[in-house]
Amino acid sequence: MPRAPAKAAPKPKPKAKAGPRARAKVRKISPAEQARVEEIFHRFLAETDDPRTELSYDSPYTLVVAVALSAQATDVQVNKATVKLFAAADTPQAMLALGEEGLIPYIASIGLFRTKAKNVIAAARIIIEQHGGEVPLTREALQALPGVGRKTASVVLNELRIEPAIAVDTHVFRLAHRLGLAFGKTPDQVEAELMALVPAPYLVRAHHWLILHGRYVCVARRPRCEDCLIADLCPSRGQAA
């Protein structure tokens, strides 16, 4: 009697993509280190309880545009450009009507302005055609917009208090290493380490605390340790890096 054909082994289900906390390597933290990290963020909280971006915006749409324009540019440069731009076009509909050639004169002072103009107009079209003219406020939908990568989406979601996120720019990367909070060699690795380490009550504000402290106190060439509110908790105190 012929044997029945063997049943094919079931295909393994694809693993869900892990978030930064799940991707972070588990690092054993001593009670003393836990207390140090807690105290760092407690002091940040005591100094500024509601840190915010320095980019000028008045709606989720203008925030997305401002953050997208800020890549490889300073917030000061972007704000100088957007004060006039948003007076002329502060909605996807108005931006699309402006068009690339109409947008370029407003942002010509910002690096990569031609590519950014193309992306801003393409994103405006998608927002109108696929999202009814409203900025989609989920990570997946934001990252699907032209010119909006993971870092931009993280800044937007965190600034609007929708999702705790830590966008790792040069300031956050530098500060995380100097403070001994992260040791990763890439922004993604540092993000994962910080998301796993920062105590939950501080997580939604950690990005802004770190970026502002790195921008004004723990600067690149000569850290202002004498003005630092967490200098006694910093393993790099007095060292220029």
Side-chain angles (χ1 to χ4, degrees):
M1 185 175 181
R3 293 182 181 179
K7 292 183 179 179
K11 293 182 179 180
K13 294 182 179 179
K15 293 182 179 179
K17 291 183 179 179
R21 278 185 177 270
R23 290 200 308 270
K25 290 182 179 179
V26 177
R27 183 157 58 94
K28 290 185 178 180
I29 304 296
S30 69
E33 177 64 2
Q34 289 177 344
R36 184 183 77 94
V37 172
E38 180 79 28
E39 180 61 18
I40 286 172
F41 288 98
H42 175 73
R43 292 188 192 179
F44 282 147
L45 175 65
E47 183 182 52
T48 309
D49 64 354
D50 189 29
R52 294 286 180 166
T53 181
E54 293 184 317
L55 290 169
S56 298
Y57 74 96
D58 58 13
S59 69
Y61 177 68
T62 53
L63 176 61
V64 169
V65 173
V67 178
L69 292 176
S70 71
Q72 298 184 42
T74 67
D75 289 0
V76 172
Q77 290 173 319
V78 173
N79 288 340
K80 283 182 179 179
T82 57
V83 67
K84 294 181 180 179
L85 172 60
F86 292 155
D90 62 353
T91 66
Q93 294 83 355
M95 194 68 73
L96 188 58
L98 200 59
E100 284 184 49
E101 294 307 313
L103 171 57
I104 284 174
Y106 289 101
I107 64 172
S109 60
I110 301 174
L112 304 175
F113 65 90
R114 292 190 184 278
T115 298
K116 290 176 180 178
K118 181 179 180 179
N119 287 336
V120 167
I121 297 303
R125 181 176 289 107
I126 290 173
I127 291 170
I128 293 169
E129 294 177 354
Q130 299 182 19
H131 303 286
E134 299 293 330
V135 172
L137 295 177
T138 65
R139 179 173 291 279
E140 183 179 8
L142 279 172
Q143 291 184 201
L145 297 175
V148 178
R150 179 174 179 81
K151 187 165 75 171
T152 296
S154 291
V155 172
V156 170
L157 294 171
N158 195 73
E159 173 67 17
L160 297 177
R161 301 299 192 249
I162 293 170
E163 175 187 317
I166 299 178
V168 179
D169 67 352
T170 55
H171 298 299
V172 175
F173 189 87
R174 177 179 68 253
L175 192 60
H177 282 84
R178 283 182 176 171
L179 285 173
L181 300 176
F183 303 93
K185 296 181 179 180
T186 68
D188 284 350
Q189 290 172 350
V190 170
E191 177 191 356
E193 289 181 79
L194 289 174
M195 289 295 290
L197 179 70
V198 176
Y202 305 112
L203 197 55
V204 76
R205 291 166 288 189
H207 163 75
H208 287 107
W209 282 326
L210 292 172
I211 196 172
L212 293 172
H213 195 71
R215 183 176 291 170
Y216 296 112
V217 181
C218 195
V219 294
R221 294 191 176 181
R222 188 191 175 279
R224 295 171 48 207
C225 298
E226 66 278 8
D227 299 322
C228 180
L229 77 165
I230 54 172
D232 59 311
L233 301 171
C234 179
S236 304
R237 182 180 181 179
Q239 302 174 19

